[in-house]
């Protein structure tokens, strides 16, 4: 699709503007806080092991359970957003992840702490899809790619807050004060959300859900509505392509940041914990910079979506192979720096998946389609987290073999992307022609 095509406004496009930025900013603030809570365990792993007297396997269950809940909630949350609206779903999400964070602070046992992280993951799962939906309702469609990347940028800023601020608070204030104190941020964004957030601007109310093939059904039609929403979203090749792009691009950085990056850099590469922490911070910083670049490129040239996604996958695979296959006991520092810089591009590349699904679905299915896409990357992350752990146990801690498991989901995802890209491009051309015809017939 040409740049000029991507700049065309669709009939009924929201106007954007300062009010849109203010309302959307409240949703982004909710997501920012959710990411702080989600990643706070990453800097508290050793403290959690001491507090609950658990081994490494039990500790890793925190992360795997959180991802399992997050991934499992994506389609239900998408349906909730489509049926209930953004404000209601975000409100439920804030309450859940705030209670989860507070419960984690006060948990006297491992079981209660595990339940608190599951509750937190449930609330966290409701935030990003809601923010994407909010952006699509308040800004013109041509701004969609940049809006999505900026939202993800604020999410990574939340990750940075965990790395720099929560870690210092934990060592200075202790476990309970740090996690209970951070829960206050959830209360603040809840108040802002209830007072100022609106689902859409005046005059841009969404139509009732309609699958395009049968008469418009009654909204909130129970199980039939749910099946229709999921089936209609899945039928679109853009939704499936978006899911596989998200599946293939997101998980390498997620696995590295969430659990296995620090052990790999310290135990396999011989770095100090301080140096390893600096490299993890580099992944986050690279993500924030690349996100802005990718968003600007895709907003101007939609045809760049697939090359950017495949290029990121290829670069990350090449750097993984070079790092784990480097002769000798450890890879040189310059190679590790390059690896972490490239891993920072994985998050922005995963956002491209939403830009395939967004134009493929009408407004009343945006939440469901985004849920399908978002589930892809977290399923891949959870599977790879488990695979690396199992292989480490089976091989006596051989990180070369364990991290080779990364290439399996990458190969699967690339095969599906190549299979679906032509079909998606054809459907997008058909929709563009239809929208131009509709625009010609809109009365002025």
């Amino acid at each position: 699709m040409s740049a000029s095509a991507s700049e065309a406004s669709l009939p009924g496009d929201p106007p954007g503007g300062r009010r849109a930025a203010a309302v959307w900013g409240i949703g982004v603030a909710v997501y920012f806080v959710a990411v702080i809570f989600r990643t706070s365990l990453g800097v508290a792993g050793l403290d959690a092991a001491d507090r609950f007297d658990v081994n490494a396997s039990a500790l890793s269950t925190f992360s795997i359970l959180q991802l399992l809940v997050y991934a499992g909630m994506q389609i239900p949350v998408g349906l909730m957003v489509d049926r209930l609206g953004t404000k209601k779903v975000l409100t439920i999400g804030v309450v859940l992840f705030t209670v989860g964070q507070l419960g984690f602070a006060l948990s006297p046992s491992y079981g209660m702490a595990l339940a608190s992280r599951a509750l937190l993951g449930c609330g966290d799962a409701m935030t990003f899809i809601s923010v994407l939906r909010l952006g699509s309702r308040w800004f013109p469609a041509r701004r969609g790619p940049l809006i999505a990347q900026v939202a993800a940028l604020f999410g990574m800023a939340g990750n940075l807050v965990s790395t720099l601020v929560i870690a210092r608070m934990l060592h200075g204030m202790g476990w309970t004060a740090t996690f209970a104190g951070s829960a206050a941020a959830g209360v603040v964004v809840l108040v802002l959300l209830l007072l100022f957030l609106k689902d859409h601007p005046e005059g841009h109310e969404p139509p009732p859900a309609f699958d395009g093939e049968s008469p418009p059904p009654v909204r909130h039609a129970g199980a039939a509505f749910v099946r229709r929403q999921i089936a209609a979203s899945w039928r679109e090749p853009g939704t499936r392509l978006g899911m596989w792009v998200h599946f293939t691009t997101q998980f390498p950085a997620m696995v590295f940041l969430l659990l296995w990056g620090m052990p790999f850099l310290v135990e396999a590469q011989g770095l100090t914990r301080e140096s390893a922490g600096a490299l993890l911070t580099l992944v986050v910083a690279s993500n924030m910079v690349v996100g802005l670049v990718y968003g600007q490129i895709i907003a101007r040239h939609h045809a760049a979506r697939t090359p950017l996604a495949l290029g990121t996958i290829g670069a990350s695979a090449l750097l993984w192979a070079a790092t784990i296959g480097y002769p000798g006991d450890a890879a040189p520092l310059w190679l590790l720096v390059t690896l972490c810089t490239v891993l920072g591009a994985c998050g922005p590349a995963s956002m491209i998946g939403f830009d395939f699904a967004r134009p493929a679905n009408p407004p009343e299915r945006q939440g469901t389609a985004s849920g399908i896409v978002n589930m892809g990357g977290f399923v891949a992350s959870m599977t790879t987290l488990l695979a690396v752990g199992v292989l480490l146990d089976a091989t006596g801690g051989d990180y070369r073999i364990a991290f080779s498991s990364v290439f399996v989901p990458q190969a699967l995802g690339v095969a599906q992307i190549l299979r679906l890209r032509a079909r998606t491009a054809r459907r997008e051309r058909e929709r563009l022609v239809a929208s131009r015809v509709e625009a010609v017939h809109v009365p002025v």
Side-chain angles (χ1 to χ4, degrees):
M1 188 182 297
S2 67
S4 60
S6 68
E7 290 292 328
S9 295
L10 299 176
D13 242 1
R18 292 183 178 178
R19 189 179 178 211
V23 173
W24 176 76
I26 295 172
V28 170
V30 172
Y31 177 57
F32 173 77
V33 173
V35 174
I36 293 176
F37 290 2
R38 178 201 306 173
T39 57
S40 58
L41 181 63
V43 298
L46 295 177
D47 300 84
D50 292 338
R51 179 178 177 86
F52 302 115
D53 191 25
V54 294
N55 58 22
S57 297
L59 186 62
S60 67
T61 304
F62 280 124
S63 298
I64 294 174
L65 175 63
Q66 195 170 324
L67 284 183
L68 179 64
V69 171
Y70 190 105
M73 285 291 295
Q74 290 310 295
I75 292 179
V77 166
L79 291 164
M80 289 173 63
V81 171
D82 288 334
R83 296 182 64 177
L84 302 179
T86 301
K87 184 170 185 174
K88 290 181 180 178
V89 175
L90 274 180
T91 300
I92 297 170
V94 173
V95 171
L96 289 177
F97 70 60
T98 302
V99 172
Q101 185 79 340
L102 183 60
F104 195 59
L106 304 176
S107 293
S109 66
Y110 173 73
M112 187 173 292
L114 204 60
S116 296
R117 294 305 289 186
L119 191 65
L120 192 157
C122 186
D124 180 21
M126 298 182 180
T127 58
F128 190 63
I129 292 175
S130 298
V131 171
L132 289 179
R133 167 73 167 254
L134 195 65
S136 69
R137 288 292 171 83
W138 280 91
F139 292 95
R142 67 180 183 275
R143 301 295 184 192
L146 183 59
I147 292 300
Q149 290 286 1
V150 172
L153 175 68
F154 278 96
M156 291 309 295
N159 197 331
L160 204 59
V161 169
S162 289
T163 304
L164 300 178
V165 179
I166 297 294
R168 291 186 180 181
M169 290 175 60
L170 192 63
H171 293 293
M173 300 169 55
W175 179 279
T176 302
T178 295
F179 284 100
S182 65
V187 177
V188 172
V189 293
L190 177 61
V191 172
L192 292 174
L193 167 64
L194 293 175
L195 291 179
F196 301 112
L197 191 136
K198 292 189 66 174
D199 283 356
H200 47 73
E202 291 80 1
H204 292 271
E205 293 79 7
F210 177 40
D211 61 12
E213 297 180 0
S214 58
V218 177
R219 197 167 176 83
H220 312 305
F225 172 85
V226 171
R227 289 194 298 269
R228 188 162 44 243
Q229 286 286 89
I230 295 175
S233 297
W234 185 256
R235 274 198 301 269
E236 290 291 344
T239 303
R240 301 197 302 276
L241 177 59
M243 185 196 74
W244 284 110
V245 167
H246 199 269
F247 176 98
T248 317
T249 52
Q250 189 207 43
F251 80 93
M254 180 70 72
V255 169
F256 199 79
L257 286 173
L258 200 59
L259 188 59
W260 293 119
M262 180 70 75
F264 169 72
L265 294 172
V266 173
E267 297 177 2
Q269 301 301 315
L271 299 182
T272 64
R273 294 178 67 89
E274 290 74 18
S275 298
L279 287 178
L280 295 181
T281 304
L282 174 62
V283 177
V284 177
S286 174
N287 185 300
M288 297 172 72
V289 173
V290 174
L292 289 176
V293 174
Y294 277 19
Q296 292 284 357
I297 292 174
I298 297 168
R300 290 170 170 77
H301 309 284
H302 267 203
R305 292 173 299 174
T306 302
L308 283 176
L310 292 175
T312 302
I313 296 166
S316 63
L318 178 63
L319 266 299
W320 269 121
T323 301
I324 65 177
Y326 195 86
D329 294 333
L333 182 60
W334 66 264
L335 182 55
L336 296 175
V337 169
T338 306
L339 170 67
C340 291
T341 303
V342 170
L343 286 178
C346 290
S350 72
M351 299 303 301
I352 296 173
F354 296 102
D355 198 51
F356 282 113
R358 187 183 305 109
N361 292 273
E364 62 271 19
R365 287 206 311 263
Q366 289 293 320
T368 305
S370 295
I372 293 172
V373 172
N374 208 28
M375 185 176 66
F378 285 92
V379 168
S381 298
M382 182 176 58
T383 303
T384 309
L385 277 169
L386 181 60
V388 171
V390 169
L391 288 172
L392 283 173
D393 287 339
T395 61
D398 191 328
Y399 281 93
R400 294 177 188 264
I401 295 176
F403 274 128
S404 295
S405 62
V406 169
F407 303 123
V408 176
Q410 282 187 325
L412 173 62
V414 167
Q416 295 298 323
I417 291 170
L418 295 177
R419 184 177 69 86
L420 290 165
R421 62 176 181 170
R423 198 179 310 173
T424 301
R426 185 165 57 251
R427 288 296 296 270
E428 287 188 346
R429 287 194 295 269
E430 293 171 356
R431 279 191 299 272
L432 178 61
V433 171
S435 67
R436 286 175 171 172
V437 171
E438 182 181 353
V440 168
H441 290 87
V442 170
V444 295

